[in-house]
Amino acid sequence: MFKNRLMLVLGLLVAASIILSACAPTAAPATDEPAPATEPAAPATEPPAPAEPKVMVACLAQEPQTLYTYSEAALVKTFVLDSLYDATFDARTYDYQGVLYNLSKFGEGAEQNTIEVGVGDVVYDPAQDAAVELTAGMTISLNQVEGDPVEVTVEEGQKYPVVQIVTSHTIAAGATWEDGTPVTTDDVLFSFEVGASPDTPSSKYFYETQTQKLEVVDASTYQYFFMPNYTSGTYFVDGMISPLPKHVYGEGGSRPLTPAEMLADEEVNRDPLAFGPFRLVEWVAGDHITVEKNPTYWRASEGLPKIDTLIYRFIPDTNQLIAQLASGECDFGTQDAAFEGSLPLIRQFESEGLMVPQVVAGTVFEHLDFNTTPVDSYTGAAATLLASDGERLFAKKEFRQAIAYCIDRQAVVDGATNGAAVVQHTYTSGDHPFYGGDDNVTLYEFNPDTGKEMLAALGWSDTDGDGVLDNGSGDKLAFIHSTRTNALREKVTQIVQAQLKDNCGIETTIELYGGEYFADGPDGLVFGRQFDMGEFAWLTGVEPPCTLYISSQLPSAELGWGNSNDVGFQNAEFDAACNAATQALDEETKFAQHAAAQAIFTEFLPSLPLFARAKIVVTRPSVVGVVMDPTANSEFWNVENFDFEE
């Protein structure tokens, strides 16, 4: 068990001995002046005691399963990796800041070039949101450096002008792996190849659709070539790649591994080589991970990091975590602890000077997902309940809209988060610069009468007076509300269950799962599209995440089971608006297209956003440098500046 600060004694205090040499007396000349008095010896001084190392204890509610870059995405994994790797860039308050790389803007390391393409060339097709090979007779819209896109019908022997964006990225001077080997573009290319491998379970959109190639300029700089015709409003960060140590795991390295072997390798997953402010020194499963100051850190000359050791302790019980904050056994508790339900207690401890909460509305939003397109093998309610016209009920937008009217989302926020969260109407928060606006989106204010009227129009009402809607043929309006076990989410499911039953006569059964809930298809529930109504939170960033719901992200055998569109939403107009928004290079077009996408999304409502989860971190009063930012997903983005007050 670790105690507060875990003070480690370095060295012994040794009293200095000062040896005084006596000189033999000599005869003094005869004089009438008295002999001068002997000066007293200066007192011995002790050297200053070495400063005690600074040890900070961060308490997490969950333990990461792995620290491998290309394995499953998890916030707790990010917490630890932020200390081991410097981010390629930081997302700060709806803006970007370069870290390992500088941001490349047009004219400053980035270019919009006009190239010519013809039959046989591979370009991005915005209509399909995919890279395609041009063939004779194909019609395609080609983006230009200036002016509107030009639609062409490809002819053999003809060339057509199209835009290609090229960005340049230079690794920070002095960036070095913990073993003393410089971080180079070889590490960047190696990381790119590993991520692109079919044996690595990451989305291949970046590698196959967005990217044409990488070209090395020198050991520290590479150029990133977007696929011809592909444009992006975040082009200046899109080509940044976090390096992997080729000198260890690449061909000719000390432990060469294939991508499949890296995925399973114990060292890769549990002891990654660091180039950031800290290096991993211990991982005790189920208890803690310890990282210590990395002596090869490229910013060490700035006095960074400011602490010597950071210990990540795993305390799944939020009440226990708060108690250890109060006692000083934890220096701060992370946002995954779901502090919302304990805010009154935390505020009490704050008044006693024991802890300090930071509460901000973040980019994590809780939502209810409707399985509009279940896989053929699924036999649950999403596949079998029908509307009066014979169509699947979950596929009807009116059904999903009715559910929205039946739920008092503010009451959910108040009951589950003590009012800390913010009701959210679409997949981005209301204060986001690219939020379409209340006048543009469909708002579903709590109105159970409207909800019941819509359900009746679909053939569902309480014909037998038992309080549960039915279709008059013996089928009840009942389905499964599933989610991953989490203290906050369990409260939400219970409140939603009670509201649906009391407000509109809808019966739900709550099913709680562990990590398997998010397993890839075809066996996983959510991403195998084998659920009725699912609940979880999407962790997003600076850009409104419309791409979560585009058709090309449908989890399937054809497109990839790791894709994000678990609701099965397929709408060509939404796809076009979303792709146009994410590819726009000017702010006006980006805003207009994001607004159009949000209008379509809130009309069809494949997923009901519940609220923007409050990001709450709780620190001891002596802790400084921990800054909870609205768009920095992890509070460890600034870990090198964590410190204690003097």
Side-chain angles (χ1 to χ4, degrees):
M1 183 66 66
F2 290 87
K3 296 184 178 179
N4 187 36
R5 309 292 184 273
L6 299 180
M7 296 300 189
L8 306 176
V9 179
L10 297 180
L12 302 173
L13 301 180
V14 180
S17 298
I18 300 176
I19 301 174
L20 303 177
S21 299
C23 298
T26 57
T31 175
D32 294 332
E33 298 293 323
T38 303
E39 291 288 321
T45 59
E46 294 183 354
E52 292 184 334
K54 296 179 180 180
V55 180
M56 186 173 288
V57 180
C59 291
L60 286 55
Q62 301 176 64
E63 179 178 5
Q65 299 301 305
T66 173
L67 295 177
Y68 179 36
T69 299
Y70 291 115
S71 64
E72 64 182 37
L75 182 60
V76 289
K77 178 175 117 176
T78 304
F79 289 163
V80 182
L81 287 184
D82 278 348
S83 67
L84 303 179
Y85 300 152
D86 263 329
T88 55
F89 64 91
D90 283 336
R92 295 288 317 283
T93 317
Y94 304 109
D95 202 358
Y96 299 92
Q97 296 177 358
V99 181
L100 183 63
Y101 303 109
N102 292 326
L103 301 183
S104 297
K105 299 296 183 73
F106 289 130
E108 302 174 359
E111 305 169 355
Q112 290 186 85
N113 299 322
T114 296
I115 64 171
E116 291 191 331
V117 296
V119 171
D121 291 324
V122 177
V123 303
Y124 173 73
D125 182 2
Q128 301 182 55
D129 189 28
V132 299
E133 181 178 338
L134 295 179
T135 58
M138 174 189 295
T139 298
I140 189 171
S141 178
L142 298 178
N143 293 314
Q144 308 297 305
V145 170
E146 295 182 358
D148 295 331
V150 175
E151 187 172 285
V152 302
T153 299
V154 179
E155 297 181 12
E156 191 74 51
Q158 295 294 313
K159 293 290 185 180
Y160 305 93
V162 66
V163 67
Q164 183 174 42
I165 297 175
V166 181
T167 55
S168 180
H169 304 289
T170 300
I171 301 168
T176 305
W177 297 101
E178 66 177 271
D179 64 2
T181 305
V183 178
T184 71
T185 46
D186 282 347
D187 301 315
V188 175
L189 287 180
F190 175 61
S191 182
F192 179 88
E193 291 165 358
V194 171
S197 168
D199 292 327
T200 300
S202 58
S203 170
K204 296 301 180 280
Y205 184 92
F206 172 78
Y207 306 98
E208 298 174 355
T209 300
Q210 179 181 314
T211 304
Q212 184 193 51
K213 60 180 178 178
L214 273 66
E215 284 189 356
V216 169
V217 176
D218 54 37
S220 61
T221 301
Y222 70 95
Q223 287 188 309
Y224 175 80
F225 290 74
F226 283 83
M227 188 68 69
N229 204 37
Y230 192 102
T231 57
S232 168
T234 54
Y235 66 90
F236 42 86
V237 297
D238 286 346
M240 292 183 178
I241 298 167
S242 186
L244 287 175
K246 181 180 180 181
H247 69 286
V248 178
Y249 302 119
E251 184 177 352
S254 58
R255 287 191 65 232
L257 298 172
T258 66
E261 291 169 337
M262 291 184 72
L263 192 64
D265 186 77
E266 181 79 4
E267 181 180 271
V268 172
N269 283 274
R270 299 184 71 83
D271 190 17
L273 199 68
F275 62 83
F278 297 90
R279 60 184 182 182
L280 193 148
V281 295
E282 183 181 51
W283 187 342
V284 177
D287 192 78
H288 70 275
I289 291 173
T290 301
V291 299
E292 65 180 21
K293 182 180 290 190
N294 180 7
T296 69
Y297 184 42
W298 62 280
R299 299 182 65 190
S301 62
E302 302 173 40
L304 301 175
K306 295 180 179 180
I307 60 173
D308 299 285
T309 301
L310 176 62
I311 300 170
Y312 297 91
R313 290 185 58 206
F314 315 130
I315 305 179
D317 183 86
T318 301
N319 291 328
Q320 183 184 358
L321 197 159
I322 293 172
Q324 294 196 18
L325 278 166
S327 67
E329 293 174 86
C330 296
D331 291 307
F332 73 95
T334 54
Q335 61 178 294
D336 66 316
F339 288 119
E340 295 94 332
S342 304
L343 269 179
L345 177 62
I346 292 170
R347 295 295 189 194
Q348 177 62 36
F349 280 128
E350 181 183 20
S351 70
E352 298 171 7
L354 295 175
M355 57 188 68
V356 179
Q358 294 182 46
V359 183
V360 300
T363 53
V364 174
F365 70 98
E366 195 80 10
H367 52 92
L368 299 176
D369 280 3
F370 304 103
N371 191 357
T372 69
T373 314
V375 292
D376 292 341
S377 59
Y378 186 61
T379 58
T384 58
L385 293 182
L386 303 178
S388 53
D389 63 2
E391 292 187 21
R392 283 183 293 104
L393 194 61
F394 275 67
K396 305 284 285 188
K397 69 177 182 180
E398 293 83 4
F399 169 71
R400 305 189 295 269
Q401 292 168 348
I403 297 292
Y405 283 121
C406 291
I407 297 175
D408 184 347
R409 286 180 285 171
Q410 187 59 55
V412 175
V413 166
D414 294 340
T417 76
N418 284 296
V422 179
V423 172
Q424 187 164 306
H425 301 296
T426 183
Y427 44 74
T428 195
S429 62
D431 64 351
H432 196 291
F434 293 128
Y435 173 56
D438 289 356
D439 294 337
N440 176 70
V441 303
T442 303
L443 302 177
Y444 296 92
E445 303 295 346
F446 176 51
N447 192 331
D449 289 338
T450 298
K452 287 187 286 188
E453 290 173 3
M454 297 181 73
L455 292 169
L458 293 169
W460 294 86
S461 57
D462 185 7
T463 64
D464 55 13
D466 66 351
V468 179
L469 302 187
D470 60 80
N471 61 1
S473 300
D475 296 319
K476 298 293 185 181
L477 185 45
F479 52 84
I480 293 172
H481 180 173
S482 61
T483 191
R484 180 176 179 175
T485 301
N486 169 283
L488 169 64
R489 201 161 291 132
E490 288 178 35
K491 290 183 179 180
V492 173
T493 57
Q494 292 165 8
I495 295 171
V496 169
Q497 180 184 52
Q499 286 196 13
L500 289 177
K501 178 66 179 299
D502 297 342
N503 297 336
C504 291
I506 299 170
E507 194 169 71
T508 62
T509 299
I510 297 171
E511 289 188 356
L512 303 177
Y513 294 88
E516 71 276 11
Y517 188 60
F518 296 124
D520 288 347
D523 298 324
L525 276 78
V526 173
F527 298 107
R529 298 175 13 232
Q530 300 187 76
F531 67 99
D532 296 332
M533 185 174 74
E535 180 188 339
F536 60 99
W538 277 123
L539 177 64
T540 68
V542 175
E543 188 88 358
C546 58
T547 53
L548 292 172
Y549 304 102
I550 57 177
S551 300
S552 61
Q553 288 299 304
L554 179 74
S556 64
E558 296 75 23
L559 299 175
W561 286 111
N563 288 336
S564 60
N565 186 4
D566 61 291
V567 294
F569 184 50
Q570 298 177 77
N571 183 292
E573 292 182 358
F574 176 82
D575 293 349
C578 177
N579 289 329
T582 57
Q583 295 165 30
L585 300 178
D586 65 279
E587 299 290 289
E588 184 177 351
T589 301
K590 180 179 288 290
F591 177 84
Q593 294 298 332
H594 270 306
Q598 291 166 41
I600 297 168
F601 177 86
T602 55
E603 175 191 353
F604 286 88
L605 208 67
S607 175
L608 173 63
L610 294 175
F611 51 80
R613 284 175 56 172
K615 298 202 297 187
I616 305 174
V617 63
V618 184
T619 66
R620 296 280 297 174
S622 59
V623 173
V624 295
V626 178
V627 179
M628 184 65 85
D629 185 276
T631 52
N633 289 329
S634 161
E635 52 265 47
F636 291 85
W637 68 270
N638 192 37
V639 65
E640 65 273 13
N641 282 296
F642 288 7
D643 203 355
F644 296 103
E645 286 183 330
E646 295 295 335

